[in-house]
Amino acid sequence: MGKTDYFCSSNIKLSTEGAKYYLNEQLLEREEKTGKINYTEPEFELEVSKAASKFVDRSFENIVVLIGAGASVVMTDNNDIDGRYGKTVSMIAQIVFEKLQSGRYQFQYSKSDGDEVDVFPLEQMAADIGYSDKIFDDNSDKLSLSFDLETFLSRLIMYNQFVLEDKKKWKDSQSAIFDIIKLATSYDYEKEVFHHTALINILSQKLSSENKLSVVTTNYDTLIEDAAESMGYTVFDGFSFSSTPHFDDDMFEWHLSKHVSDVKTKENIYKKNVIDLLKIHGSLTWRISKSGENVIRTDKHASGESVMIFPNSDKYMQSYEEPYFELFARFQDLLKRPNTLLLTTGFSFADNHISRMIIQAISHNPSLSTLITDYSLDLDKPNKNWKELKHMLENANSVAFLKATLNKDLTKYLMGYTEGI
């Protein structure tokens, strides 16, 4: 099987092979009276922690963390995904299939609770819209791993613009799928399960008080907001501090400070524990106002259509609509700032639009350092963006890779992994 990489930068490579541990392809050993002894697993984990900590502990003026869908995933003791929390796209697709199979669907998000409508089963829609007439694995009621929900939805959305027969049923079927996606991405923050609080704390403490940590996420869920609230953090998410918060991009420019004066000097003291939050694909808590003129923030269980970019090939064009355009532009600006650290977690770089923004920033901003964390650094079928990032590392760009996931070991590595040492 070969070695498994745990940390890779331009000058450090930490890897394992069975019970042996390596630094830059050299076996890690320590001197004992009886001779050389191989490193233990805790000792190797400490080396990984040192490498990761050294990469991020460099007095950055700005820190940006990009949180993708994988950051909401929680693994069981058997190393399976816990279905109560974040789900993969293939898991959501399977839920869509099962929920629509009866031909009836009861809404919980997209329409008034309890509304039940006729819908088309998934396999019938796939055949009628020209996606595929075979979406299952052989002799199985499970969707094939090759089933692409994003491509399917793109075809469905296009088909619905021109369909002549059963227009209401087709529209309801599409709305039902969106409703299922919302349900599948809606879960409450549990501090014993999710490690978002630790990540926010660790990274915020690396900045001076006048510089806010910037959290950028593609996720619809409210885990970041809930984690911040549980610690007493103030979140600038682009919405006004009014009784009905409405989107106002200028809010990101503001800080919280108080004026302190004495005999000799006058100065402002910035409030600690303040973060910016950019939800670049929308949120379960966003709605269109009754006037239709504003995007407002409300409770995630409030009635009405959520303002979200659903997975489909048209999402690139949607990013030019309000409020996404402002959020993407601000994210791009953050990546251009000098002396900046970008840390990614749960983001696979399959989203080409976001990935190209990051790759371009690495190419043109020499003071941008990027730490990419993922459940594996040795992907069987890496996408082209992942390959390009690996190539940039090899060309001595300030890029590093860390084998870690948010809800398992990332925060331990960042704050010093001392378990068992």
Side-chain angles (χ1 to χ4, degrees), residues 329 331-340 361 364-365 367-368:
F331 177 38
Q332 196 165 29
D333 177 68
L334 289 171
L335 298 178
K336 294 177 181 178
R337 294 182 181 179
N339 197 21
T340 293
H364 294 95
N365 183 357
S367 64
L368 172 66

Side-chain angles (χ1 to χ4, degrees), residues 351-394:
D351 187 309
N352 200 52
H353 184 203
I354 299 172
S355 299
R356 299 317 300 176
M357 288 172 58
I358 294 171
I359 290 170
Q360 287 297 313
I362 294 171
S363 299
H364 294 95
N365 183 357
S367 64
L368 172 66
S369 297
T370 305
L371 178 61
I372 298 163
T373 72
D374 202 82
Y375 71 95
S376 174
L377 307 186
D378 307 291
L379 302 179
D380 292 334
K381 296 180 179 179
N383 59 58
K384 65 177 183 178
N385 297 312
W386 187 271
K387 290 179 181 178
E388 187 166 349
L389 287 162
K390 280 291 189 77
H391 183 67
M392 298 179 92
L393 178 153
E394 294 164 1

Side-chain angles (χ1 to χ4, degrees), residues 2 12 34 110 123 145 158 161 163 181 186 195 223 237 248 257 272 279 328 365 406:
I12 296 176
T34 56
S110 299
E123 64 268 36
L145 291 176
M158 181 64 68
Q161 294 177 10
V163 66
I181 292 173
S186 177
H195 294 178
L223 295 182
D237 61 353
D248 178 3
S257 65
K272 295 181 179 180
K279 304 192 78 169
F328 271 93
N365 183 357
L406 175 55

Side-chain angles (χ1 to χ4, degrees), residues 7 47 62 70 81 137 153 174 240 303 315 334 363 373 421:
F7 181 86
E47 291 298 321
N62 309 289
I81 295 176
D137 286 326
L153 282 174
Q174 177 178 306
S240 62
S303 60
K315 62 186 178 183
L334 289 171
S363 299
T373 72
I421 300 296

